Amino acid sequence: MSKIYINGISSVSPQSEDIYENEIPQTYNENILPAINIDYKSLIKPMMLRRMSKAVKMGLYCSKKALQEAGIADPGAILVGTGQGCMQDTEKFMSNMLESEEGLLSPTSFIQSTHNTVAGQIALDLKCKGHNMTFTQNSASFETALLDTVLLFEDEQVQNILVGGVDETSEEFTGFQKLDGQIKEASINNLDLFASGTSGTIISESAAFFTLSSEKNDSTYAEFKDVQIINKVEKSDLISKIEEFLSRNKLRLADIDAVILGRNGDSRFDHYYEDLQQGLFAEKCQVGFKHLVGDNNSVSSYAFWLASKILKEKRISQIFKLNAVNCNAPRNILIYNQYLGRNHGLILLQSH
Amino acid sequence: MSDLHTELKKSIIEQLNLEDMEVSEIENDEHLFGDGLGLDSIDALELIVLLEKDYGIKLTDPNQGKEIFNSINTMADFIEKNRTR
């Protein structure tokens, strides 16, 4: 299999994309965080934009930016990970059904309510007729898209792949996650997330897309080495799973410079991360991101964006750091994420 | 411009999410599809629903659509002659 280089990246989240450079966070005092508004019209035609829900706008915008940066017009494949798909249009047509007492329905929101709308709209815009897949695997949705990426690159015909993760919130449906305790009861400031000490987390909408290529170029950020999904694991076995993952990549723990952890302030499940922070990764530079961008089913794509930035800039932005360990010019970064104690994802990136 | 013409333009702007468009920017004889307003096949479906929902007109022959949805004028004429509400 050829090497896989990250040649273009882009993200839309509750934080501005230049947060890594300016370190000025957007703060929220609510538990459902919207993605910031950006000038979608700069890249998407208004006649196309008018029908798009937030997920489609974010996904298409990021895709175009990531491809532009890599200098690619038409990728060989489009792979999207989304846990909840196009919730806004689903909510819209279901509300219409109720209002019209199951009478006449507007077709647009129904057509666009499926999970694969984002990947489909990207393909239509790019006129890309290649492999087009959407993966919905709860909080490991993006990791699953990465898994397909690895498989596709085993085929030497494929040179460039557009891969990303996207999830949106919707007015009513997202609130339902409060009913089963996924969202914190009391509103908190997002910067206080890790110290909240209560159950649940802050839910958000975000997208991050990447141009992955078999050749590196001037814009290359890093090399994507490997991904693994462990749907279920006893906490006592987690360390050995991580060591096995490193070992299959011919790395030892000492080779890892920084770890990006999906800690989300949920007192019921943060112990998965805390144990690693105080044990296996105690000497490593620890990085977090959910206090800034919240949590959703494809937010590990934001961690992938963050790791790419770190490896290109050869420094770790202070605002993301969870401990005081310094790390100059990191070479290997491990991303670990889980949600509700399930769907543990490991992603490895290396400087090129 | 009749009330029906204005009403139709408002409904089209709202139903088709033509967010940046004003009623005054749509000419009565301007083509709705193609070179004119630039609507597409999904919009055509929305217009069929609009006719039925707002004016009680059910299009039975799809071939009629091309003629009826040519412009605001043709739509208004058709509605005047066939409306049930």
Side-chain angles (χ1 to χ4, degrees), chain A residues 4 102 174 245 328-329:
Chain A
I4 304 172
E102 300 187 21
T174 305
F245 178 71
N328 294 319

Side-chain angles (χ1 to χ4, degrees), chain A residues 48 52 56 60 78 80 114-128 132-134:
Chain A
M48 295 283 288
M52 292 179 179
V56 181
L60 182 55
I78 296 170
V80 175
T114 57
H115 282 56
N116 58 3
T117 302
V118 182
Q121 290 287 331
I122 295 169
L124 282 172
D125 190 275
L126 301 176
K127 298 184 174 54
C128 171
N132 190 297
M133 290 294 284
T134 298

